[in-house]
Amino acid sequence: PTRVKAGECLCFLVQNGLKGNYALEDVTALLSDRKTDARLIPVACRILFTINNRRSLMPIVERLDDEELDEPVRIVMVEILADFLNGLKVSADTQRAVNNALSFFARVLRKKDEKDASRYKYGAAFRRVCAYAAGMVAPGFNRKGAVLILISALEDPDEGVASTALEGLIAITNQNFGRKPEAWRKWFEKYAATTVSYTHLTL
């Protein structure tokens, strides 16, 4: 608990103008060490976001795959990741991190329970926050991939997941075909077939 409070204090101080050199490696080590107390993981993510160093993104993405972390912890991690994605500057490192994050979101949104194919492996709250984060992908990154993930998420039986996916689609594309996956797919296929470059367009 003391270390959690210390991390929260550091975030507060940085947000209020504290200047200095921060040992990024000390914080990312908390994420990479599988023995780190799970309570410290969200705090480490918040510190990395507050410091706002582009190298901070990948350690969060890489730790998301840890199935030993319970869903509430990973939900907080994805929420922080969504804040990162909104307004992220393009670089080779951030492109790779965003692509990896999108792959993770797709798995969470699509993975079915191994024992019961009619059920999803992950809870609705976890799926919903992944749909939200996919909708936060900034221009210059793989927004086409995000759109495809969100179109599939429209078919999610959970109202919150489907609604969040629609909000993300509208935000990214400036289009609104409602909760009709086939209409979105038809538009996407036409758009992708007629567009040479997505650099200066919504996607």
Side-chain angles (χ1 to χ4, degrees):
T2 302
R3 297 168 75 193
V4 170
K5 289 297 182 183
E8 292 171 349
C9 288
L10 176 59
C11 289
F12 176 81
L13 291 171
V14 173
Q15 288 167 347
N16 286 275
L18 178 68
K19 304 294 182 184
N21 295 319
Y22 309 104
L24 186 66
E25 289 73 17
D26 290 344
V27 183
T28 56
L30 291 173
L31 291 178
S32 60
D33 186 353
R34 297 300 170 115
K35 296 180 181 178
T36 297
D37 189 313
R39 291 171 293 178
L40 284 171
I41 300 299
V43 177
C45 294
R46 287 193 189 96
I47 293 171
L48 293 176
F49 174 70
T50 304
I51 293 173
N52 196 27
N53 183 303
R54 71 182 186 187
R55 291 190 296 121
S56 303
L57 187 61
M58 186 57 88
I60 298 175
V61 175
E62 289 177 339
R63 190 62 195 272
L64 281 172
D65 274 325
D66 185 1
E67 294 287 344
E68 295 298 316
L69 293 175
D70 62 23
E71 287 192 13
V73 169
R74 293 204 281 179
I75 286 170
V76 174
M77 293 173 71
V78 175
E79 288 172 343
I80 296 168
L81 187 57
D83 289 335
F84 253 118
L85 296 176
N86 185 23
L88 189 66
K89 293 182 180 180
V90 178
S91 73
D93 290 340
T94 56
Q95 290 273 17
R96 184 167 62 91
V98 170
N99 286 338
N100 287 0
L102 286 171
S103 294
F104 175 78
F105 300 154
R107 288 197 301 276
V108 171
L109 286 162
R110 296 170 183 167
K111 185 91 171 166
K112 295 298 182 71
D113 191 310
E114 293 179 359
K115 297 180 180 178
D116 183 355
S118 67
R119 298 170 60 89
Y120 285 88
K121 177 178 180 178
Y122 301 102
F126 197 10
R127 303 199 308 276
R128 185 160 57 247
V129 76
C130 286
Y132 170 74
M136 298 298 285
V137 174
F141 292 95
N142 184 14
R143 284 184 133 190
K144 289 192 289 184
V147 166
L148 290 173
I149 291 170
L150 293 171
I151 290 173
S152 293
L154 290 174
E155 300 174 304
D156 195 291
D158 182 83
E159 175 70 23
V161 176
S163 297
T164 301
L166 178 59
E167 290 170 5
L169 284 168
I170 293 171
I172 291 176
T173 68
N174 290 322
Q175 306 291 320
N176 189 351
F177 301 105
R179 300 261 290 273
K180 302 174 182 176
E182 288 309 314
W184 280 102
R185 291 188 181 103
K186 184 177 179 180
W187 169 82
F188 183 83
E189 289 171 6
K190 180 179 178 181
Y191 190 83
T194 58
T195 303
V196 176
S197 173
Y198 285 80
T199 305
H200 304 294
L201 298 173
T202 305
L203 294 183

